[in-house]
Amino acid sequence: MRSLQIGIVGGTRGMGLWMARLLAGEGHRVHAWGKASASQMERLIPGCQVIFVSVPLGVTREVIQRVGPLVGPEAGLMDLSSLKAEPLKEMLSCSSSDVVGLHPLFGPRVRSLKGKGVVVCRGRGTKWFSWVRGLLQSQGARLVEMDPQEHDRAMAVVQVLTHLNTMSMGLVMKSRGIGHEELSRLATPVFRKKMAMVRKVFHENPDLYCSIVALSPYSAEILEDYSRVLAALSPLVGARDSEGLKNLLTRITLQSP
Ligand SMILES: NC(=O)c1ccc[n+]([C@@H]2O[C@H](COP(=O)([O-])OP(=O)(O)OC[C@H]3O[C@@H](n4cnc5c(N)ncnc54)[C@H](OP(=O)(O)O)[C@@H]3O)[C@@H](O)[C@H]2O)c1
C-alpha cells in the first residue's frame, strides 16, 4: 500500500512510540503527539488516513472523545489499550470512521514482532481492519481475533490476577522487613524471577499495572476469587495440615477446564 499519513495520540513514549517507529520503518509519514501537542493534533487529525490512540488507560476515554469526532469518515481509528471493551465502545460512538481495537501482548522494548501476540478486535468496517492485519502479519506477529468483552474477561486472569499477585507479594515482602540484599543473597531461581516481576510492577511502570488492576471490569470478580482461595488456605495452613492443602490443590486442578 502507498505511504499513508498516520497520527499517533500518545506517540511520544511507550507503546505509541513503538508503533510510530514500526510505521515509519514501513515508509509511512507518522505524526506522534503527546500531552503538549493538542493544537497540532487537532489541526492534523482530519488529514490522516489512520489514527492510533495509545494513552494511559485512565485518560483513554476522554482522549477518544476528543479525537474521535476529528477523524474523517474514510479513515481508520484504532487503539492499543490493554482493555478493549470500553475503548471500542467509545471509538464507535465518537467517530464515523472504521474502528479497530488492538492489544499488543508485550511491552515497548520488543524489537521484532516475530511470534509476538497481538489481539485484534473488529469494531466497524473492513478496509482498515484488513490493512492493520496485513501490516502486523507481514512483521510475523501472531494475531488473535477476539470479541472485546471476551478479551477483557480472559485478560483479567492473564494480567489482573498476575499483577495483583505480584503486588501482594511485594507488599508482604516489604512488611517482613528483610532487606533486599539479604533476600538477593538467598534467592532461589524462582524467587529471582518473582523479584524481577515485583521490581517491574513497583518501580518500572506502576501507572500501567495499577490502572490495569484498578480499571478492568473483571477485577472485583478476580479479587473475590483470590480472597476466597486465601480464606480456604488459611485454616489448613493454621492447622499445619499439608495433606489437606494437597487435597485442596488436587480438587482445584480437577475442577479446571
Ligand atoms: N507499556 C506496555 O507494556 C503496554 C503493553 C500493551 C498495551 N499498552 C497500552 O498502551 C497504552 C499506553 O501505555 P504506555 O505504557 O505506552 O504509556 P506511557 O509510556 O505512559 O505513554 C503514554 C503516552 O500518552 C501520552 N499522553 C498521556 N496523557 C495524554 C493526554 N491526556 N492527551 C494526549 N496524550 C497523552 C503521553 O504523552 P507525554 O509524553 O506528553 O506524557 C505518552 O506519549 C495504554 O492503553 C496501555 O494499556 C501498554
Side-chain angles (χ1 to χ4, degrees):
M1 200 181 228
R2 66 201 156 88
S3 169
L4 303 170
Q5 289 254 11
I6 300 180
I8 305 189
V9 187
T12 54
R13 286 187 288 117
M15 288 314 286
L17 178 57
W18 174 86
M19 185 50 102
R21 288 182 174 143
L22 178 96
L23 293 164
E26 289 288 298
H28 298 298
R29 168 96 174 87
V30 182
H31 308 280
W33 304 300
K35 287 196 285 288
S37 1
S39 62
Q40 200 199 39
M41 195 174 88
E42 279 161 25
R43 190 165 45 81
L44 294 176
I45 283 178
C48 288
Q49 281 96 32
V50 183
I51 295 291
F52 286 92
V53 175
S54 179
V55 297
L57 286 172
V59 296
T60 298
R61 193 159 170 237
E62 68 179 70
V63 168
I64 292 175
Q65 285 171 352
R66 202 148 34 88
V67 166
L70 305 170
V71 179
E74 302 301 320
L77 174 60
M78 313 191 184
D79 79 310
L80 302 180
S81 318
S82 306
L83 294 170
K84 293 272 54 85
E86 190 182 69
L88 262 140
K89 187 167 155 236
E90 215 55 49
M91 288 192 289
L92 287 168
S93 72
C94 294
S95 75
S96 53
S97 61
D98 275 15
V99 166
V100 185
L102 301 170
H103 180 194
L105 302 173
F106 50 83
R109 288 195 195 149
V110 155
R111 296 209 164 183
S112 158
L113 259 177
K114 263 200 183 73
K116 300 290 182 312
V118 181
V119 174
V120 187
C121 300
R122 282 177 193 271
R124 183 167 52 217
T126 52
K127 176 179 170 185
W128 295 110
F129 180 80
S130 305
W131 171 80
V132 78
R133 274 187 65 101
L135 169 81
L136 297 169
Q137 269 168 342
S138 72
Q139 302 272 333
R142 175 177 58 83
L143 301 187
V144 185
E145 192 179 333
M146 262 183 124
D147 163 81
Q149 275 83 12
E150 202 188 307
H151 162 277
D152 289 357
R153 188 165 181 277
M155 288 311 285
V157 174
V158 176
Q159 294 197 293
V160 176
L161 180 58
T162 302
H163 304 322
L164 201 57
N165 184 261
T166 304
M167 287 173 189
S168 310
M169 175 152 178
L171 292 172
V172 172
M173 275 164 73
K174 269 191 190 175
S175 78
R176 300 304 297 167
I178 304 173
H180 184 266
E181 258 173 44
E182 189 173 4
L183 291 176
S184 299
R185 221 154 38 92
L186 298 170
T188 59
V190 169
F191 186 69
R192 214 174 282 288
K193 280 188 194 152
K194 295 223 169 187
M195 275 172 86
M197 274 306 295
V198 169
R199 245 190 328 272
K200 210 169 156 133
V201 169
F202 280 67
H203 302 296
E204 281 179 29
N205 200 347
D207 287 348
L208 175 69
Y209 300 111
C210 291
S211 48
I212 288 174
V213 169
L215 301 178
S216 163
Y218 295 95
S219 288
E221 284 177 23
I222 293 285
L223 202 56
E224 249 173 56
D225 289 352
Y226 200 77
S227 309
R228 205 176 35 244
V229 166
L230 283 181
L233 292 174
S234 179
L236 297 170
V237 174
R240 299 166 64 100
D241 181 0
S242 63
E243 254 330 284
L245 263 179
K246 208 169 73 188
N247 286 340
L248 183 74
L249 298 191
T250 316
R251 266 205 324 271
I252 288 174
T253 311
L254 286 177
Q255 279 167 7
S256 325

